[in-house]
Amino acid sequence: MHPAPETTTGSTTGTATVMPAEWDPHERTWMAFPPPNDTFGPAGGETLARARHAWAAVARTIARHEPVTVVAAPADADAARAALGEGIEVVTAPLDDAWLRDSGPTFAHDPAGDLVAVDWVFNGWGAQEWAAWDNDQHLGRFVAEQTGVEVRPSSLVNEGGGFHVDGEGTVLLTETVQLDPGRNPGATKEQVEAEIHARLGTTRAVWLPRGLTRDYDEFGTRGHVDIVAAFAGRGTVLVHRQDDPAHPDFEVTRQIRAVLEAATDAKGRRLRVVDVPAPTVLDAGDGFVDWSYLNHYVANGVVVLCAFDDPHDAVAAGILAEVYPGRAVELVDARDIFAFGGGIHCITQQQPAVRRPATGEEGLR
């Protein structure tokens, strides 16, 4: 286990970094290609083929709107290129898994508007017994090196799915992730906030008590925020709503909503809370589902939305179209992604465009 994070400051002149909102312009999206492992199954197996098909469908959808680069294990490079098709770049590095939101870097802007890469400590979602991270703990630095940007290492054990920012100083966190003794033993909220604020340029943390019930099963993340709540524009936050009292998340999502209703953002605004109803399916055959439309991904001109062949797919698409005006909403079947332990947001990581504050222009590096 990693020791409690050392507190740092994000206000040092010339070094402060700010993570932009996900809906700000991107230069590209990063993903990883599922390798053979205990999660996806052996090489040549049916489950690994399903995973690769699902990941590739997401990559091809995003690639219609912005460049996509996929990290593949060296032995899987040819399979990745065949699955992804033309126009998607493949680079190689040793991999343990394929959840790049969590193992990859977090990109932020420095005061000049150039990119830097925050390299969190990754330890397999709290050093869980089933997880492997010998290779993935190095992915943050590897991806940063591919982009040619400065690496800013952090002492905090953290994953990209464990926080969500509005680009104006507010960050969503969950207590069960950030204060997890398997991640940051002995850490206080104040210590975690100090490090988060220093790296992301935030000043206000909204702490949610927990995540969805399924996320505390053996193979869960212990409460990632990006499946229960997400900012969707200035002052607006989406929240997962389970409407069936038979599902344990019926009460969980009401607790989370109550916290968000009472919260203010870094600008002092009371948050506008928008409910996104859960899919109607409660059990897909292996217990209560954690299917959620909140685990979508916002790219240039598009929202890539999890679909479940469910009547609420269209409801969610309508809500997302309203909160992201001017963006297309493209649905991609995410049932296989969730079966392996995550969603569309979990397998993607945005590389923001360079920002030039003096002119307000943003461009590609």
Side-chain angles (χ1 to χ4, degrees):
M1 293 187 291
H2 207 69
E6 300 176 1
T7 55
T8 61
T9 176
S11 59
T12 304
T13 301
T15 63
T17 55
V18 177
M19 181 183 180
E22 191 169 307
W23 54 82
D24 284 346
H26 297 180
E27 179 170 341
R28 71 180 55 248
T29 293
W30 287 86
M31 298 178 64
F33 192 66
N37 65 11
D38 289 343
T39 298
F40 302 121
E46 182 268 339
T47 55
L48 180 61
R50 281 172 42 208
R52 290 176 169 179
H53 177 80
W55 264 245
V58 172
R60 289 194 299 268
T61 301
I62 298 169
R64 294 196 290 268
H65 301 272
E66 65 182 61
V68 176
T69 299
V70 176
V71 183
D76 297 327
D78 289 343
R81 293 185 179 99
L84 296 165
E86 295 182 3
I88 295 178
E89 181 185 25
V90 175
V91 297
T92 60
L95 293 177
D96 297 304
D97 225 314
W99 309 100
L100 200 73
R101 172 68 53 179
D102 295 342
S103 55
T106 295
F107 289 102
H109 289 127
D110 69 11
D114 291 319
L115 284 184
V116 300
V118 180
D119 184 20
W120 312 104
V121 177
F122 179 71
N123 74 343
W125 302 276
Q128 298 201 49
E129 290 184 2
W130 54 267
W133 61 93
D134 285 350
N135 296 313
D136 286 358
Q137 65 181 318
H138 303 297
L139 278 178
R141 182 170 292 275
F142 171 79
V143 171
E145 290 171 349
Q146 296 296 302
T147 67
V149 305
E150 178 188 353
V151 178
R152 301 277 181 95
S154 171
S155 61
L156 189 71
V157 178
N158 198 13
E159 305 97 35
F163 58 87
H164 207 279
V165 302
D166 66 355
E168 290 193 331
T170 318
V171 60
L172 300 175
L173 304 170
T174 56
E175 295 178 11
T176 56
V177 168
Q178 302 298 335
L179 305 181
D180 177 13
R183 289 175 166 97
N184 300 298
T188 65
K189 283 187 177 180
E190 291 74 19
Q191 288 175 313
V192 169
E193 284 190 26
E195 181 66 6
I196 290 281
H197 293 337
R199 304 302 173 180
L200 304 184
T202 49
T203 57
R204 169 86 170 100
V206 178
W207 287 88
L208 304 182
R210 54 165 296 150
L212 297 184
T213 301
R214 184 69 178 263
D215 212 7
Y216 297 89
D217 285 355
E218 180 183 1
F219 300 109
T221 71
R222 300 174 182 156
H224 270 185
V225 74
D226 67 351
I227 200 168
V228 294
F231 288 114
R234 314 305 183 193
T236 297
V237 64
L238 304 176
V239 62
H240 179 72
R241 190 185 77 210
Q242 175 54 250
D243 286 330
D244 195 317
H247 196 296
D249 288 332
F250 179 83
E251 291 297 337
V252 170
T253 55
R254 276 147 187 79
Q255 294 170 7
I256 291 169
R257 193 185 204 286
V259 173
L260 293 171
E261 284 180 326
T264 54
D265 65 13
K267 300 294 185 182
R269 299 173 296 209
R270 185 63 60 90
L271 293 172
R272 172 196 174 210
V273 182
V274 178
D275 292 300
V276 183
T280 60
V281 173
L282 299 184
D283 189 326
D286 60 349
F288 287 111
V289 300
D290 59 351
W291 293 357
S292 171
Y293 299 109
L294 271 291
N295 204 261
H296 59 274
Y297 179 61
V298 184
N300 293 341
V302 68
V303 178
V304 186
L305 180 61
C306 298
F308 304 96
D309 191 25
D310 189 273
H312 281 179
D313 290 357
V315 175
I319 294 170
L320 272 290
E322 186 271 328
V323 298
Y324 291 112
R327 276 185 162 85
V329 178
E330 296 202 32
L331 292 127
V332 179
D333 193 325
R335 287 173 291 178
D336 273 342
I337 305 176
F338 272 81
F340 291 113
I344 289 174
H345 197 254
C346 302
I347 67 175
T348 52
Q349 180 62 266
Q350 67 271 16
Q351 179 184 336
V354 169
R355 175 179 291 160
R356 297 302 179 199
T359 63
E361 295 178 355
E362 295 179 340
L364 302 186
R365 201 174 171 79

